[in-house]
Amino acid sequence: MLTVGQRFRRPEPRRRVRDFVRGLLAPLPRKNCWTIAEHAGDTGPDGMQDLLTRVKWDDAEVRADVREFVGRHLGDAEAVLVIDETGDLKKGRHTVGVQRQYSGTAGKIENCQVAVHLVYATDTGHAMLDTALYLPKSWCDDAERRVEAGVPQQVRFATKPQLASRMIAAAVTAGLPCQWVAGDEAYGNDPRLRAQLRQLRLGYVLAVACSHQVITGLGAYRVDALATGLPATAWQRISAGRGAKGYRYYDWSFTALPHAADAHGGHHWLLIRRNRRTGELAFYRCWAPEAVPLRNLVLVAGRRWKIEESFQAAKTGLGLDQHQHRRWTSWHRWTTLAILAHAFLAAATTHRSHPDPAGLIPLTVNELRHLFNILIIEPARRRCDPLLWSVRRRRHQARAMTSHYARQALTEP
């Protein structure tokens, strides 16, 4: 069982964390401090809000506990660390990190927050490990907005690959078993990230743009130009893993790249994926300390899609993107508790000693969340009268409104 109680000195915050995570696991139509407090039977949202804002606890230490828990239950020496970012659409300009920027969720430039996430993926399961909020340069250079949003003074501008690099280094330093890193073009195109992964002796399969250049024995070439000259015999049909509709087969080709001057040694490849139906190409820079067959690189490339499954499960079932907080600390705490809940479900869906019966697919995170709620949370949680809670909620809102207008009257000339 995942235990983070040691991070909270007093019993009341420990109970709040337990009830908060139960609320994230529950099938509430909308997750915020009001609905989570109602689910816990509290008379108002103040306790849950205090947990995210005023109570003293370190979200980074809790994520370290999550990392240890995931390593204990899903640990695999050949695991893949998957890096990617996700955006949450927001209105206004006061929520920490918000500006008009590209969001992969929306597929275009929108007013949103962007966060980089790290996911641990193995053959038996995958779980969210860590997160870092991307703070745009416009925010880093605006002292007034930083103070208003509670951004710590030591936080400086960092690119998304730099944020990913820090999380990967922390996971490796903590002894998390892993062998590979996978990511999209935003990370594959960064030479400093690739160099650090080689220094950490982590193999990688990182997507790059079609305009990316590589050094061959005949000079520098764009990767799309190299693909056009490949003969038919250079392609092999291999599955990148099993998806919702069965095994995902693509045509693959890989070419060894000379890197005699690389201080870290190892083997470099250019991996190319071709869609069997459309002919669309995707390109990957690959490295490993030892020579590996093409199939190994293909399986790592396919493992990158696990982070999309994690995002979907965390957003649709655990309220990852439903926070209503503008400040730095509350954002990190909400996200950390959502990661904790996802890690718990991911570990519970992993059946190492008891394989699934023939003909049955494994439980998904969302299915397990539903079963956990109806079999454990609902029978155990403290129930309260919904009508009484509704009356208390209206009274709380009325007091807040009265207080607001009283303050406004005092400030008017």
Side-chain angles (χ1 to χ4, degrees):
M1 180 60 185
L2 177 53
T3 303
V4 296
Q6 60 180 336
R7 305 302 181 184
F8 303 88
R9 297 180 180 178
R10 300 174 60 247
E12 182 177 333
R14 288 197 290 270
R15 180 183 66 82
R16 293 286 184 199
V17 170
R18 179 200 64 192
D19 292 342
F20 196 100
V21 174
R22 283 180 176 178
L24 293 177
L25 292 169
L28 303 176
R30 185 75 182 173
K31 292 183 171 66
N32 53 51
C33 287
W34 274 106
T35 58
I36 292 174
E38 180 178 8
H39 182 267
D42 293 346
T43 58
D46 295 345
M48 299 301 179
Q49 291 173 346
D50 285 347
L51 179 67
L52 299 179
T53 55
R54 299 184 182 89
V55 176
K56 290 185 178 181
W57 59 282
D58 192 330
D59 54 89
E61 292 180 347
V62 172
R63 292 196 298 275
D65 290 339
V66 171
R67 182 173 59 225
E68 181 183 355
F69 172 82
V70 169
R72 188 164 61 250
H73 289 269
L74 277 73
D76 187 339
E78 298 183 359
V80 180
L81 297 178
V82 188
I83 48 177
D84 200 0
E85 72 269 4
T86 184
D88 299 334
L89 302 184
K90 296 293 178 182
K91 296 181 180 179
R93 61 184 299 273
H94 298 291
T95 302
V96 61
V98 162
Q99 73 167 17
R100 287 190 60 79
Q101 53 192 324
Y102 179 79
S103 166
T105 305
K108 58 182 179 180
I109 295 177
E110 288 283 359
N111 201 59
C112 63
Q113 282 176 316
V114 173
V116 180
H117 287 265
L118 183 67
V119 161
Y120 189 77
T122 70
D123 287 336
T124 57
H126 54 96
M128 303 181 76
L129 276 186
D130 207 347
T131 186
L133 179 65
Y134 172 69
L135 199 65
K137 202 169 188 309
S138 61
W139 270 84
C140 293
D141 296 339
D142 192 330
E144 183 178 349
R145 293 178 82 188
R146 289 173 61 104
V147 171
E148 182 182 357
V151 179
Q153 292 185 356
Q154 66 270 23
V155 174
R156 297 291 181 265
F157 175 73
T159 65
K160 296 167 189 173
Q162 287 173 333
L163 296 176
S165 176
R166 295 171 187 174
M167 291 189 289
I168 292 171
V172 173
T173 302
L176 185 71
C178 55
Q179 185 175 354
W180 296 93
V181 173
D184 64 14
E185 296 178 11
Y187 307 94
N189 289 327
D190 190 292
R192 290 170 296 183
L193 175 61
R194 299 199 307 267
Q196 190 207 25
L197 296 179
R198 294 195 297 271
Q199 183 178 0
L200 293 172
R201 310 304 288 174
L202 287 175
Y204 57 77
V205 179
L206 299 172
V208 293
C210 61
S211 59
H212 184 81
Q213 289 194 341
V214 294
I215 305 296
T216 70
L218 299 176
Y221 287 89
R222 282 173 54 121
V223 292
D224 55 356
L226 288 175
T228 59
L230 291 174
T233 55
W235 299 94
Q236 300 183 44
R237 185 160 297 174
I238 303 175
S239 169
R242 193 169 184 173
K245 299 181 180 180
Y247 289 98
R248 298 168 295 193
Y249 283 97
Y250 294 90
D251 293 333
W252 300 86
S253 174
F254 77 142
T255 304
L257 301 175
H259 274 73
D262 190 345
H264 306 293
H267 300 263
H268 294 258
W269 298 275
L270 171 65
L271 177 66
I272 306 176
R273 187 190 74 200
R274 184 175 66 187
N275 189 291
R276 297 169 57 196
R277 182 172 58 86
T278 65
E280 181 183 4
L281 299 177
F283 306 91
Y284 303 85
R285 286 292 298 265
C286 308
W287 180 85
E290 304 292 339
V292 296
L294 171 60
R295 179 172 180 79
N296 288 28
L297 301 179
V298 169
L299 291 177
V300 174
R303 201 73 64 81
R304 183 172 70 89
W305 293 319
K306 294 298 184 181
I307 199 168
E308 299 297 338
E309 296 178 15
S310 296
F311 286 155
Q312 182 180 16
K315 288 187 175 185
T316 59
L318 302 174
L320 178 67
D321 59 343
Q322 296 180 21
H323 61 89
Q324 299 178 349
H325 301 276
R326 293 181 172 181
R327 295 175 63 83
W328 176 273
T329 298
S330 54
W331 182 92
H332 281 85
R333 290 182 172 185
W334 176 285
T335 306
T336 295
L337 295 178
I339 289 174
L340 186 154
H342 184 269
F344 165 74
L345 292 177
T349 57
T350 302
H351 308 287
R352 292 187 171 183
S353 57
H354 303 286
D356 296 297
L360 296 180
I361 63 173
L363 281 172
T364 66
V365 167
N366 283 338
E367 289 168 343
L368 181 65
R369 181 179 60 86
H370 176 69
L371 291 173
F372 184 77
N373 179 73
I374 62 175
L375 296 177
I376 299 177
I377 294 181
E378 284 300 327
R381 78 181 182 94
R382 296 170 294 137
R383 300 182 181 275
C384 65
D385 186 347
L387 179 60
L388 177 60
W389 204 96
S390 178
V391 170
R392 288 170 174 168
R393 177 173 180 173
R394 287 197 296 271
R395 287 176 180 172
H396 180 90
Q397 292 173 329
R399 287 197 299 269
M401 186 68 71
T402 302
S403 177
H404 168 74
Y405 284 117
R407 289 194 302 269
Q408 188 176 29
L410 290 175
T411 57
E412 289 179 353

